[in-house]
């Protein structure tokens, strides 16, 4: 429809002239070829491969030692990412954890490595277990690889694509890095995605916090912390929605006040400029 588009031309030229084309998953290939006619689709299919991101040899996980210190008495779960609460988030996980009544619940610690924690701190407002979330700065790649070997469980989640794409075309590259650590993986997936089909010890849907509840109990059991009388607060979901509404309201009011202040200052600036020009 728009052959003058630079992205279209770059993609089209690649499909035509490349000797080999690599896609990380079937969904990606299907979505990228969907706009093209049968002739291009067949051409690309015949010379394409499905190949996930590579996993490095074990030696690369020990080139740069991480100085992270963890308590052996805790179940340490790590997430390595960039931004938080955009198209990736852990709301179902947090719902599940906050609703859990279990005598060993506090044994679980979440270590979140992100480069911006301002919004996460806002979204954690009012959470009872925020002391169990340790926010850390991102690590450089080789130190990150080593750090993955120190945690009990590595957390990975899908990018939310519902209402944006018919199928989820993404496969997080961290999955291949995680596999090289030989640690257990908890995959929080979008239904129908490639991540939903992987072989991981723990899996739950990002739209079903009850699955996350079951995983938490399973993790505690697997690490020797059983509680036959555990339960879940069925009213927590409604509480979290109420808390989120209050957080949004608070943020809106703060931005509204800032906008009013800026507007007032701009009026004063205009007034001073007019007086200065006389």
């Amino acid at each position: 429809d728009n052959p003058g588009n630079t992205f279209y031309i770059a993609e089209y030229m690649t499909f035509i002239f490349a000797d080999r084309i690599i896609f990380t998953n079937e969904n990606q290939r299907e979505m990228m070829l969907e706009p093209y006619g049968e002739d291009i689709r067949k051409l690309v299919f015949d010379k394409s491969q499905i190949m996930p991101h590579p996993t490095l040899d074990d030696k690369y996980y020990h080139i740069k030692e991480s100085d992270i210190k963890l308590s052996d008495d805790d179940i340490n779960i790590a997430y390595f990412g960039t931004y938080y609460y955009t198209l990736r988030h852990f709301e179902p996980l947090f719902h599940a954890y906050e609703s859990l009544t279990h005598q060993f619940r506090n044994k679980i610690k979440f270590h979140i490595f992100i480069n911006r924690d301002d919004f996460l701190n806002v979204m954690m407002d009012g959470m009872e277990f925020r002391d169990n979330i340790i926010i850390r700065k991102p690590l450089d790649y080789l130190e990150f690889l080593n750090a993955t070997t120190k945690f009990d469980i590595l957390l990975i989640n899908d990018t939310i694509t519902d209402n944006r794409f018919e199928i989820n075309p993404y496969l997080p590259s961290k999955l291949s890095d995680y596999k090289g650590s030989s640690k257990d993986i908890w995959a929080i997936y979008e239904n129908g995605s490639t991540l939903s089909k992987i072989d991981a010890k723990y899996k739950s849907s990002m739209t079903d916090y009850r699955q996350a509840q079951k995983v938490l109990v399973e993790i505690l059991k697997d690490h020797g912390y059983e509680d036959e009388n555990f339960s879940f607060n069925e009213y927590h979901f409604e509480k979290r929605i109420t808390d989120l509404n209050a957080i949004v309201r608070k943020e809106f009011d703060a931005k509204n006040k800032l906008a009013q202040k800026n507007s007032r200052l701009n009026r004063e600036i205009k007034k001073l400029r007019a007086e200065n020009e006389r």
Side-chain angles (χ1 to χ4, degrees):
D1 294 336
N2 183 14
N5 181 282
T6 305
F7 294 106
Y8 170 83
I9 293 172
E11 187 175 278
Y12 185 79
M13 296 284 278
T14 301
F15 285 166
I16 294 295
F17 292 110
D19 296 312
R20 185 171 63 140
I21 300 173
I22 297 172
F23 297 93
T24 63
N25 64 85
E26 294 279 1
N27 285 3
Q28 183 190 59
R29 179 166 64 182
E30 179 62 30
M31 195 200 76
M32 291 186 70
L33 292 180
E34 192 276 331
Y36 293 90
E38 187 57 35
D39 55 341
I40 300 296
R41 289 174 62 88
K42 185 177 185 311
L43 175 70
V44 174
F45 258 88
D46 289 345
K47 61 180 179 180
S48 67
Q49 286 181 268
I50 302 299
M51 187 183 299
H53 309 89
T55 297
L56 292 173
D57 293 335
D58 180 68
K59 65 180 181 180
Y60 291 99
Y61 287 76
H62 304 283
I63 291 176
K64 187 173 182 180
E65 188 74 17
S66 170
D67 61 0
I68 291 173
K69 299 294 188 292
L70 301 171
S71 171
D72 292 334
D73 292 332
D74 295 328
I75 304 170
N76 293 291
I77 302 175
Y79 170 76
F80 297 87
T82 51
Y83 296 106
Y84 193 86
Y85 274 97
T86 53
L87 294 177
R88 282 180 174 157
H89 61 75
F90 290 118
E91 280 297 310
L93 169 60
F94 289 168
H95 296 336
Y97 189 85
E98 282 238 302
S99 66
L100 174 61
T101 300
H102 192 292
Q103 64 174 323
F104 297 112
R105 184 181 81 160
N106 284 329
K107 290 291 182 181
I108 296 178
K109 297 291 189 297
F110 298 97
H111 303 257
I112 299 178
F113 293 78
I114 50 174
N115 55 13
R116 285 188 57 187
D117 61 3
D118 47 352
F119 198 51
L120 174 57
N121 281 315
V122 169
M123 298 305 287
M124 285 167 53
D125 190 27
M127 286 186 179
E128 296 176 4
F129 77 110
R130 62 182 303 161
D131 289 343
N132 289 48
I133 301 176
I134 299 96
I135 301 175
R136 300 177 180 269
K137 293 298 181 184
L139 307 173
D140 66 45
Y141 187 66
L142 290 174
E143 190 176 0
F144 148 69
L145 289 180
N146 182 258
T148 62
T149 68
K150 297 179 180 295
F151 290 92
D152 299 298
I153 299 168
L154 302 174
L155 202 58
I156 191 167
N157 58 349
D158 255 332
T159 298
I160 299 171
T161 62
D162 191 31
N163 297 322
R164 296 172 60 238
F165 302 124
E166 289 187 10
I167 55 175
N168 187 323
Y170 300 113
L171 176 63
S173 60
K174 280 195 300 291
L175 178 61
S176 295
D177 295 322
Y178 283 4
K179 286 181 176 179
S181 73
S182 300
K183 293 295 183 176
D184 292 332
I185 296 172
W186 181 355
I188 300 180
Y189 60 84
E190 187 173 54
N191 294 334
S193 72
T194 302
L195 192 64
S196 71
K197 301 167 187 174
I198 69 164
D199 181 21
K201 182 162 186 179
Y202 306 108
K203 294 172 70 174
S204 60
S205 168
M206 61 172 56
T207 58
D208 188 349
Y209 76 98
R210 293 184 187 279
Q211 289 183 5
Q213 289 177 333
K214 293 178 181 178
V215 169
L216 287 171
V217 174
E218 185 180 352
I219 287 172
L220 285 164
K221 283 185 177 180
D222 287 346
H223 288 80
Y225 298 110
E226 293 197 42
D227 180 0
E228 294 182 2
N229 298 316
F230 77 87
S231 62
F232 292 97
N233 180 352
E234 296 302 321
Y235 298 103
H236 176 266
F237 186 78
E238 289 77 7
K239 176 184 179 298
R240 181 59 177 162
I241 295 299
T242 301
D243 289 344
L244 288 175
N245 283 332
I247 289 170
V248 171
R249 180 40 135 187
K250 182 179 177 181
E251 289 296 297
F252 175 81
D253 289 344
K255 288 185 177 181
N256 196 34
K257 287 180 180 178
L258 183 60
Q260 291 175 357
K261 181 180 179 180
N262 287 339
S263 178
R264 185 174 66 253
L265 289 173
N266 285 332
R267 288 196 301 270
E268 292 178 5
I269 290 171
K270 287 180 180 179
K271 180 180 177 181
L272 290 171
R273 281 177 178 169
E275 292 177 353
N276 190 49
E277 290 172 358
R278 290 175 186 168

